[in-house]
Amino acid sequence: MPAYDPAGTGRVGGLGDDLSLARGGGLMRNLVIKRGSAFQLTITAANADGTTFDMNSVSWAGEIRDARGVLIATLTVVPSATAGVGTVTVADTTAWPEGLLRGALLISDNGLPTETQTFGIDVRPAVVFSQPAPAAFNPVTSS
């Protein structure tokens, strides 16, 4: 039966933040994204002995929900060419509410489900500049 890889990584909001997905109790650290940005999570899955497995041989499901349990997004894992590695991508998070959301993935192997640890997604408002900053503006020296 495949197990969730404790050494997996994720990329979120412009694909620049790393996330270590650890096995065990409790909530992993929250991901922080700007509302409307792309969301991408790269996961690694392994057998109980640590060896990678064919991600096409199992069924994947995933969800993101708000604090009241309302479904915000369903997630699809797309296996990569690298054994045991897959990605989850949501191209646009504009419809996601601001605040803390929760997500998890479910791996089913021959009908036996294994759920990943819950991860948090802190959705923050996007900062939009209506005009470019003046040429003389220096954020380090200006107040």
Side-chain angles (χ1 to χ4, degrees):
M1 164 120 188
Y4 193 64
D5 176 25
T9 61
R11 302 248 185 242
V12 177
L15 312 179
D17 294 330
D18 287 334
L19 168 69
S20 177
L21 302 176
R23 187 182 349 203
L27 179 69
M28 298 183 306
R29 77 174 173 94
N30 294 337
L31 306 169
V32 177
I33 67 169
K34 288 187 179 183
R35 187 172 174 204
S37 66
F39 172 82
Q40 183 176 355
L41 184 64
T42 300
I43 60 167
T44 303
N47 293 308
D49 64 2
T51 60
T52 59
F53 69 96
D54 180 5
M55 292 182 73
N56 292 303
S57 68
V58 297
S59 298
W60 291 89
E63 295 182 343
I64 296 175
R65 294 185 175 268
D66 69 11
R68 288 184 245 138
V70 174
L71 180 65
I72 302 301
T74 56
L75 305 176
T76 301
V77 175
V78 178
S80 75
T82 304
V85 177
T87 58
V88 173
T89 303
V90 177
D92 183 13
T93 58
T94 302
W96 291 14
E98 293 174 14
L100 191 58
L101 305 176
R102 300 280 187 253
L105 298 172
L106 183 67
I107 307 163
S108 294
D109 185 20
N110 293 321
L112 299 172
T114 301
E115 187 173 340
T116 64
Q117 191 175 38
T118 301
F119 54 91
I121 304 168
D122 186 359
V123 181
R124 297 192 179 167
V127 176
V128 179
F129 295 98
S130 60
Q131 299 176 14
F137 178 76
N138 182 334
V140 175
T141 60
S142 298
S143 53

